[in-house]
Amino acid sequence: MSKAAPFLMFQGNGEEAINFYISIFEDSEITSLNREVPEGSNMQATFKIKGQEFMCLDSNINHKFTFTPSFSIFITCDTETEIDELFEKLSEGGILMPLGDYGFSKKFAWVNDKFGVSWQLNLPS
């Protein structure tokens, strides 16, 4: 096995999603973007957030499933300003746990972004 990477499948807005992600996280980039992909897809891409590689597919097929909070991306923040800004930008799809002190960290939140992807934001004590 050469590597393992989270794989996100979008339905028509994948390129918009990854452009949004790399715009809000420092040290993030699109590492490959292929719009010439097999039939039934718009785009395949890989991108990195803080060194973590993600794979992405934008499907033309309207699937009966989407993202679920049972899989989330866990982000460890360095400052209160960082967690507050990420919370504001990533919570458009809904707040599963409001930003607060839950005892296991200084500040924590669990949110869904506007694309349906779930994020856990943590500021350690």
Side-chain angles (χ1 to χ4, degrees):
M1 180 184 311
S2 62
K3 67 178 179 176
F7 186 95
L8 303 173
M9 186 181 71
F10 296 91
Q11 294 183 46
N13 57 0
E15 192 167 352
E16 178 187 355
I18 61 177
N19 282 320
F20 174 68
Y21 300 148
I22 65 165
S23 77
I24 64 172
F25 290 100
E26 292 181 15
D27 303 323
S28 300
E29 64 179 332
I30 296 172
T31 53
S32 71
L33 179 64
N34 181 1
R35 292 185 185 96
E36 311 245 345
V37 297
E39 188 176 333
S41 301
N42 292 329
M43 177 270 308
Q44 290 178 332
T46 57
F47 63 101
K48 289 183 180 181
I49 297 175
K50 298 288 190 176
Q52 172 64 55
E53 184 176 67
F54 292 83
M55 298 173 70
C56 172
L57 175 73
D58 201 353
S59 177
N60 284 334
I61 300 167
N62 187 11
H63 298 280
K64 293 183 179 184
F65 57 86
T66 186
F67 297 109
T68 170
S70 67
F71 176 85
S72 59
I73 300 169
F74 193 94
I75 301 293
T76 301
C77 299
D78 294 327
T79 67
E80 248 183 277
T81 300
E82 182 180 35
I83 196 170
D84 291 343
E85 289 175 359
L86 288 173
F87 177 80
E88 181 181 326
K89 293 173 183 174
L90 289 170
S91 62
E92 188 175 323
I95 299 170
L96 304 171
M97 290 178 73
L99 194 57
D101 180 350
Y102 291 92
F104 54 83
S105 70
K106 183 176 180 181
K107 225 174 189 183
F108 177 85
W110 197 336
V111 299
N112 285 335
D113 69 23
K114 62 186 174 183
F115 303 102
V117 176
S118 184
W119 300 82
Q120 292 186 61
L121 307 173
N122 184 53
L123 180 64
S125 298

